Amino acid sequence: MKLRSSARGFLAFLLSLPALKADDWITYPSSNVCSPRGSTVHISCHYKCPRNPNITLAVQDKKWFSQRDVDVKTDTDYAGRVENKCSRPSCTSHICNANCTLSISDLRQSDSSEYKFRFKTYQVGILEYAAGLGVTLSVTDLKVKVSFPMRNNPSWAVLECHSMCGLAGNPTYIWIRNGQPAGEGMKYPGFVWSQYSYSCAVKGYKHFPSPSVYAPKTPSVTVSPSGEIVEGSSLTLSCSSDANPAADYTWFKHGDSVGQSGQNYTITNITSELGGNYYCQAHNAIGRHDSTFLFINWKERSSSSQTTAIAVRAVAVLLASILLLVVFLWMRRKKASRKASGMGTDTVDEPRPDPVYENVLALTNLSAPAAQREPTEGTRCVAGSRVQSDQIEEDLYSVIKD
């Protein structure tokens, strides 16, 4: 009975309060916070809740949630790096007020997110209060900006420690030159030299400095395509150097500018006038540095053509010689086979008559009857074919000899 009357009284109390939006229960001093990497950030909120004088107020489950809707106290990504502190509530007859602060140390880029605060009250029933909006945290790296305000003195510069967003709490900056302390303040005016590197950091967080700015290191030059360079061909020279800010490049030949800048330089239709020593110069706001000389040498295309022509002629002569040798061997073998076939099947070799007696026999055969001259005619045909074969062999010898 007492519980029911308390519930009815609390409901009447709520209805008597002015209408409030959900965001009115939780407010934030700032909706955006920016902090450098490695530092500690503090995100605060103010909350209030209705109070029933007849019931003891019980506020519990005061938690901060990331954009992933995960309690940061239980999120393993924040393990050992978060702390949530809330003040003791200050109450009037109808409203209680309090403040809560979320602290995140050793900030990382992954901590950039929106954070919201939630709490619950236990008065007869459970009421949960959560704001629709939260605080956006941006974790940033520092950056050094270089300017030269004095045109007549290019070595005098002003270095400024800069972040992508305004850092909370007006931090003090320190400057580091070649790893050693060089001063304090957001700006560092003075002479800058190419052998020095400069960086800045938030005081107390020296181990999280900005990327250093420095003059270009010695540039290197490469050639593409590699190998022998032939007259009339094209090639590309490429220059690279480690520098921050990034380097710009200018190309030179024999100490004179070729009139072209950029990391790559292309030479087309190479001639004798384009050969020689080339180098590039890398330069940025801090300083400049030249590469070593690269000698471009080329060969005449005609020498290559002559070599090719000589090789072709040599191959042609070799092929012709092989062909003539094959024909000669074939003819010789054919001649030998004909001699073997002309000897017949007799096993007794008869001596060949002398040329004088051959002539006498020829004259005798001319006066003999036709029937008696047939063997002599056959012999004459064989002799004629032998003479023709001997003539072909002599011609082949003369061709090979020539």
Side-chain angles (χ1 to χ4, degrees):
M1 184 68 180
K2 184 178 180 180
L3 183 60
R4 291 180 179 177
S5 60
S6 298
R8 285 195 296 269
F10 183 66
L11 179 59
F13 162 74
L14 290 177
L15 294 175
S16 66
L17 292 175
L20 294 176
K21 298 179 181 179
D23 292 343
D24 292 337
W25 299 110
I26 304 173
T27 57
Y28 305 94
S30 176
S31 59
N32 292 281
V33 177
C34 180
S35 292
R37 180 174 58 89
S39 65
T40 299
V41 67
H42 305 286
I43 303 175
S44 301
C45 76
H46 175 79
Y47 75 88
K48 56 187 176 182
C49 63
R51 175 175 178 266
N52 185 353
N54 300 322
I55 301 177
T56 302
L57 178 65
V59 178
Q60 296 182 3
D61 294 338
K62 293 167 286 198
K63 299 178 180 180
W64 289 88
F65 291 80
S66 64
Q67 195 168 359
R68 295 179 297 172
D69 201 27
V70 178
D71 181 5
V72 295
K73 288 284 287 186
T74 60
D75 193 338
T76 56
D77 290 343
Y78 297 88
R81 299 191 298 120
V82 297
E83 185 180 13
N84 182 20
K85 290 185 177 180
C86 293
S87 64
R88 187 180 182 85
S90 174
C91 299
T92 64
S93 59
H94 298 293
I95 296 292
C96 287
N97 297 271
N99 296 312
C100 283
T101 301
L102 171 67
S103 300
I104 307 175
S105 61
D106 189 17
L107 282 176
R108 308 168 183 173
Q109 291 287 350
S110 59
D111 295 335
S112 297
S113 179
E114 184 182 42
Y115 296 87
K116 296 180 180 181
F117 178 75
R118 298 177 187 174
F119 69 94
K120 293 179 181 180
T121 61
Y122 296 83
Q123 299 181 91
V124 181
I126 300 176
L127 299 177
E128 183 179 44
Y129 299 86
L133 300 177
V135 178
T136 300
L137 170 64
S138 299
V139 180
T140 181
D141 280 321
L142 300 176
K143 182 180 180 181
V144 176
K145 297 178 65 177
V146 184
S147 61
F148 294 86
M150 301 175 63
R151 294 184 178 180
N152 57 347
N153 194 345
S155 297
W156 180 269
V158 175
L159 308 181
E160 182 179 355
C161 199
H162 179 71
S163 66
M164 299 302 294
C165 52
L167 300 180
N170 296 321
T172 300
Y173 298 95
I174 60 173
W175 287 93
I176 306 166
R177 183 179 65 187
N178 282 8
Q180 300 299 321
E184 293 185 1
M186 181 176 288
K187 296 183 178 181
Y188 177 82
F191 291 98
V192 293
W193 309 104
S194 58
Q195 65 267 30
Y196 292 150
S197 63
Y198 304 85
S199 62
C200 67
V202 174
K203 191 173 184 179
Y205 300 96
K206 181 181 178 180
H207 298 296
F208 298 94
S210 68
S212 298
V213 294
Y214 49 91
K217 307 298 183 183
T218 303
S220 61
V221 179
T222 57
V223 183
S224 178
S226 59
E228 185 179 81
I229 302 172
V230 181
E231 181 184 14
S233 62
S234 300
L235 59 85
T236 298
L237 307 180
S238 298
C239 186
S240 61
S241 173
D242 178 23
N244 188 30
D248 295 320
Y249 301 95
T250 305
W251 291 92
F252 296 85
K253 176 188 174 185
H254 300 305
D256 298 325
S257 174
V258 298
Q260 183 170 336
S261 60
Q263 192 167 3
N264 299 320
Y265 174 53
T266 301
I267 305 175
T268 58
N269 193 20
I270 294 177
T271 61
S272 59
E273 298 178 354
L274 297 177
N277 288 315
Y278 288 82
Y279 70 94
C280 69
Q281 182 184 87
H283 50 90
N284 64 5
I286 307 300
R288 61 190 64 208
H289 215 134
D290 295 342
S291 70
T292 56
F293 286 105
L294 177 68
F295 182 69
I296 301 298
N297 191 18
W298 57 276
K299 292 185 177 181
E300 294 183 357
R301 185 181 296 274
S302 58
S303 60
S304 176
S305 301
Q306 291 175 358
T307 302
T308 303
I310 292 173
V312 170
R313 286 196 294 269
V315 172
V317 171
L318 178 61
L319 293 176
S321 300
I322 293 174
L323 179 62
L324 291 175
L325 180 61
V326 170
V327 173
F328 169 72
L329 293 175
W330 178 79
M331 293 296 297
R332 189 168 185 177
R333 184 176 179 181
K334 187 175 181 181
K335 178 180 178 182
S337 63
R338 287 180 176 177
K339 285 183 178 180
S341 62
M343 294 177 64
T345 58
D346 297 334
T347 57
V348 180
D349 293 335
E350 294 182 359
R352 184 178 180 181
D354 292 335
V356 175
Y357 296 105
E358 286 183 353
N359 294 334
V360 171
L361 291 174
L363 293 174
T364 305
N365 287 334
L366 289 174
S367 60
Q372 298 178 2
R373 292 200 302 265
E374 289 181 359
T376 306
E377 288 292 333
T379 303
R380 186 183 302 124
C381 292
V382 171
S385 62
R386 288 178 181 176
V387 171
Q388 185 177 4
S389 176
D390 292 340
Q391 183 64 38
I392 292 174
E393 184 176 349
E394 290 178 1
D395 292 341
L396 286 175
Y397 273 120
S398 63
V399 170
I400 294 174
K401 183 178 179 180
D402 293 339

